[in-house]
Amino acid sequence: MKGTATIFKGGKGLKRKLFVIFLSCLLLLSLAGCKEKTNVSSNKNPSSVDDKTPFTFTYFNAGFSKKNIDANQTRIGKIFEEQTGVNVKMEFLVGDINTKIGTMIASGQYPDVIFPDAGIDKLLDAKALIPLNDLIDKYAPNLKKLYGPYLDQLKTDDGNIYLLPSGVPQGYVPNPDIEQGAFWIQRRVLKEFGYPKIKTLDEYFDLIAKYKEKYPKTDGKPTIGFTALTYDWRFFTISNPPAHLAGYPNDGEVIVDMKTHEAKVYGNGEYTKRWLKKLNEINAAGLFDKEAFVSNYDEYLAKIASGRVLGFFDYGWQVNQALNALKEAGNDDLRYMPLPIVFDKNIKDQYIDPPSFASNRGIGITVSAKDPVRIIKYLDNMAKEENQKLIMWGIKGETYEVDQNGRYYRTPEQIQKTSNEEFREQFGFTYFEWSWPRGTGLLSDGNAWEPSRQPEVAQASYTEGDKKILQAYGAKVFSDLFAKPDERPWYPAWSAPVKQGSPAQIYQQKKQDLQRKYFPKLVLDPPSKFEKNWKEYVKEYNKLDIKAFEDEITKYVKMKVEQSKK
């Protein structure tokens, strides 16, 4: 205290000066403290719109198998990081989806953001996702604009939004090529027999049988007549064909009556029996791939990419990686042609999707998320139209061009580059074009949201082999071979929210388990056992609560029909 008294003896002016200095120091320390405090809190609940302090969140995708990566290792991810300060650690599914989701729930530890795909019901039941309503209202004007009239459809029974789906309709643009279901046949088979026009399942397998008999080996290995994908949640690839063959689109486990809008299961009916009996016949004839019920997804894709398989049923989006690999390899004969195969000639096919919006598949923020506000802002930035163009089209002058009329197109070199899987991974198309908020249809300037739906791009991407086979069938694009889709306001019925633990959901699970048990026997056992196996299967199937499931889906279908009238 003595020292202090001595200082202040210097007079009033000195005292005032020292007091001002003292206050200034306090103010500076206070501001520094506030600044430090603001930076800390910005990582927990930031309020600044342009906060670009470094931040990383974790993201798990249960719908696709890709290599794990940091988003900023890609061009798109790096641009998003520059815009927002945010990076994303991306992890993808390895193994069984139910096991992975179950482990998360048991531990209570989740990634910050998740695309749960078929695991959504389990996560909702475990209350693992946070409501997004307030976050969207406060921080996401671009998401609001993108989802527009569909926001109400995203709400669950409790009135909350938990998922932001991909593919939000912004008008309808038909796809010139086939990204949905088809019976694919190797082009060398069609070429060998003069490009015949085949429509029925019998004609399809007869042609494959004739070719396999003539060419039993491919590159020294046995030629495979027909393979199927049965792995994990992708089992629908072998259970869906009966509906397609009967002239219905992919409404999942039901066929919906166009007049009454009643949903009926077909897993225990004549369509499924006819399909499985045909597989049983071709198996007895040596055409069916014996490994189909034990191969995983990667093995299935590798088999198709090898060129040994003459035919298979699948959805274009699911097998695209193998199809692109064959295209890059340059042997057109080993590539595949999609065909709208049906049971009988008088059936109108419905493989091409009508305008649709699936609200039960999307991206959600989990209860483990460190900073939901920062995450929703990242997603909102992604929803800006210029960034949607970046995700889908890339960079002008590098991955696409614009003509004098404002139409987007790609040069042959750009088409080749953007079809290359390695480039797609490095640029980020592979990681960002799905499983995140994005639109579909038309951009505000009239161009297609997706390059694949821009006719100029589709036709310019065709190889000489594509042009030759299209000419042989009198078509300009591959979708010309398929019937136009009928309007179905509810489509797809599989997007109906089925509550975890409900009778409808229990039916679904037991039905899947039952089919996994019986389908291998129905296909691989000798034909003499087929009827016995089928009767056993149907008996077990009919013990399930079919009505609970049909009622649930019918209720959803009729609700969607009523919504469409408003």
Side-chain angles (χ1 to χ4, degrees):
M1 295 295 295
K2 272 186 179 180
T4 305
T6 305
I7 290 172
F8 282 110
K9 280 181 181 178
K12 288 183 179 178
L14 179 61
K15 287 179 182 179
R16 189 180 293 112
K17 192 178 290 184
L18 287 169
F19 186 67
V20 169
I21 291 170
F22 177 70
L23 285 177
S24 299
C25 288
L26 281 176
L27 182 61
L28 286 170
L29 285 168
S30 174
L31 287 171
C34 288
K35 186 176 180 184
E36 183 181 356
K37 189 175 181 182
T38 300
N39 283 342
V40 171
S41 68
S42 72
N43 284 334
K44 293 194 175 178
N45 190 22
S47 57
S48 173
V49 172
D50 57 356
D51 179 15
K52 292 185 181 179
T53 55
F55 173 72
T56 298
F57 68 84
T58 55
Y59 162 94
F60 174 71
N61 189 318
F64 295 90
S65 256
K66 295 169 187 160
K67 67 181 181 184
N68 299 341
I69 193 172
D70 274 17
N72 62 8
Q73 292 177 258
T74 71
R75 289 282 297 282
I76 294 174
K78 188 65 180 171
I79 290 170
F80 286 165
E81 186 180 45
E82 289 165 0
Q83 292 172 348
T84 65
V86 176
N87 183 32
V88 187
K89 293 189 80 68
M90 298 186 181
E91 181 189 349
F92 295 86
L93 179 67
V94 176
D96 178 69
I97 183 173
N98 293 316
T99 303
K100 182 71 175 180
I101 298 291
T103 302
M104 288 180 184
I105 293 171
S107 68
Q109 298 297 312
Y110 304 93
D112 297 318
V113 171
I114 190 167
F115 181 86
D117 204 73
I120 178 57
D121 295 329
K122 290 183 174 65
L123 289 180
L124 288 175
D125 192 50
K127 301 189 184 312
L129 302 178
I130 65 169
L132 304 178
N133 310 45
D134 290 345
L135 289 168
I136 293 170
D137 282 341
K138 291 179 183 177
Y139 305 107
N142 298 300
L143 286 173
K144 264 188 174 180
K145 183 180 177 183
L146 179 66
Y147 286 91
Y150 296 99
L151 278 172
D152 280 343
Q153 292 187 31
L154 299 180
K155 292 178 180 176
T156 58
D157 290 341
D158 64 5
N160 287 318
I161 296 170
Y162 294 98
L163 291 180
L164 295 173
S166 288
V168 194
Q170 316 287 317
Y172 180 63
V173 182
N175 197 326
D177 295 329
I178 300 304
E179 63 180 5
Q180 291 305 317
F183 274 83
W184 302 78
I185 191 166
Q186 212 164 42
R187 295 184 183 185
R188 58 176 170 154
V189 179
L190 299 173
K191 180 180 176 182
E192 180 71 21
F193 300 109
Y195 302 105
K197 291 183 179 178
I198 55 174
K199 184 173 182 179
T200 70
L201 192 63
D202 288 340
E203 291 171 338
Y204 174 82
F205 281 124
D206 286 348
L207 205 65
I208 286 174
K210 281 168 66 178
Y211 189 90
K212 187 175 185 300
E213 185 179 5
K214 201 170 182 180
Y215 302 100
K217 290 197 172 181
T218 300
D219 292 333
K221 294 183 178 179
T223 300
I224 298 168
F226 186 85
T227 193
L229 177 59
T230 65
Y231 183 69
D232 198 24
W233 59 274
R234 302 176 196 270
F235 193 85
F236 65 80
T237 311
I238 196 171
S239 61
N240 280 4
H244 289 297
L245 289 163
Y248 294 91
N250 179 18
D251 263 325
E253 301 169 61
V254 297
I255 285 172
V256 179
D257 187 283
M258 292 290 282
K259 292 179 181 177
T260 67
H261 303 133
E262 297 284 331
K264 296 293 180 186
V265 302
Y266 58 87
N268 59 342
E270 283 303 308
Y271 296 147
T272 296
K273 181 179 182 181
R274 191 170 173 182
W275 162 241
L276 292 174
K277 190 169 185 179
K278 193 65 188 178
L279 292 185
N280 179 265
E281 288 173 9
I282 68 159
N283 177 67
L287 296 178
F288 189 78
D289 180 11
K290 304 276 187 197
E291 297 175 348
F293 287 103
V294 294
S295 295
N296 65 28
Y297 181 48
D298 289 336
E299 289 166 340
Y300 164 82
L301 291 178
K303 201 173 290 185
I304 290 170
S306 74
R308 292 169 54 212
V309 178
L310 301 181
F312 59 92
F313 169 88
D314 209 335
Y315 298 87
W317 58 265
Q318 186 161 249
V319 77
N320 202 42
Q321 186 179 330
L323 300 182
N324 280 342
L326 284 166
K327 187 175 181 178
E328 284 180 40
N331 186 342
D332 200 74
D333 284 350
L334 298 184
R335 294 175 63 205
Y336 293 88
M337 180 76 166
L339 296 175
I341 299 299
V342 287
F343 280 130
D344 303 305
K345 287 185 181 290
N346 63 342
I347 294 173
K348 176 186 173 184
D349 72 85
Q350 288 288 279
Y351 282 92
I352 295 177
D353 282 352
S356 62
F357 178 58
S359 58
N360 70 338
R361 292 288 188 275
I363 191 171
I365 300 175
T366 75
V367 293
S368 297
K370 295 179 287 294
D371 192 339
V373 174
R374 198 73 187 274
I375 292 168
I376 205 74
K377 287 180 181 177
Y378 182 85
L379 301 179
D380 188 64
N381 180 68
M382 186 183 292
K384 291 177 182 176
E385 188 169 271
E386 61 263 35
N387 283 333
Q388 291 286 298
K389 289 178 184 177
L390 172 66
I391 288 169
M392 301 310 301
W393 284 90
I395 297 171
K396 181 183 172 183
E398 186 174 336
T399 57
Y400 77 99
E401 307 293 340
V402 183
D403 71 14
Q404 58 187 9
N405 298 315
R407 295 290 296 172
Y408 298 176
Y409 69 96
R410 280 174 170 162
T411 65
E413 292 76 22
Q414 288 170 341
I415 287 169
Q416 185 177 7
K417 181 162 66 173
T418 55
S419 297
N420 179 275
E421 281 301 317
E422 187 178 349
F423 174 81
R424 285 171 51 75
E425 286 184 6
Q426 291 170 352
F427 193 85
F429 288 133
T430 301
Y431 296 99
F432 283 100
E433 68 185 5
W434 199 251
S435 308
W436 296 93
R438 83 154 174 90
T440 186
L442 290 169
L443 296 162
S444 61
D445 57 17
N447 286 289
W449 212 283
E450 301 136 305
S452 64
R453 290 181 183 255
Q454 188 93 325
E456 296 94 324
V457 174
Q459 292 177 341
S461 69
Y462 291 155
T463 63
E464 288 306 312
D466 291 329
K467 293 172 186 174
K468 181 180 177 182
I469 201 164
L470 285 169
Q471 186 178 11
Y473 285 97
K476 291 182 179 178
V477 294
F478 289 100
S479 60
D480 286 346
L481 299 172
F482 291 69
K484 299 292 185 288
D486 294 331
E487 188 178 344
R488 287 174 163 85
W490 64 85
Y491 188 83
W494 55 257
S495 67
V498 178
K499 201 168 184 180
Q500 185 74 13
S502 67
Q505 187 272 325
I506 292 169
Y507 157 85
Q508 280 184 303
Q509 186 58 57
K510 287 185 175 180
K511 174 247 185 191
Q512 289 170 14
D513 294 342
L514 189 68
Q515 290 187 331
R516 288 180 186 281
K517 177 182 176 182
Y518 275 93
F519 272 33
K521 292 203 293 186
L522 285 160
V523 174
L524 302 178
D525 275 0
S528 60
K529 291 186 178 181
F530 182 83
E531 287 298 331
K532 175 179 172 291
N533 288 337
W534 175 257
K535 283 177 184 175
E536 278 182 24
Y537 164 71
V538 171
K539 183 180 178 182
E540 294 302 312
Y541 196 113
N542 290 341
K543 290 178 184 176
L544 306 179
D545 196 346
I546 296 169
K547 187 176 185 302
F549 181 72
E550 290 179 337
D551 287 349
E552 191 72 27
I553 305 302
T554 297
K555 178 177 148 191
Y556 173 80
V557 167
K558 291 185 175 181
M559 179 267 290
K560 295 287 280 186
V561 171
E562 286 305 310
Q563 282 183 347
S564 71
K565 294 176 181 176
K566 294 177 183 178

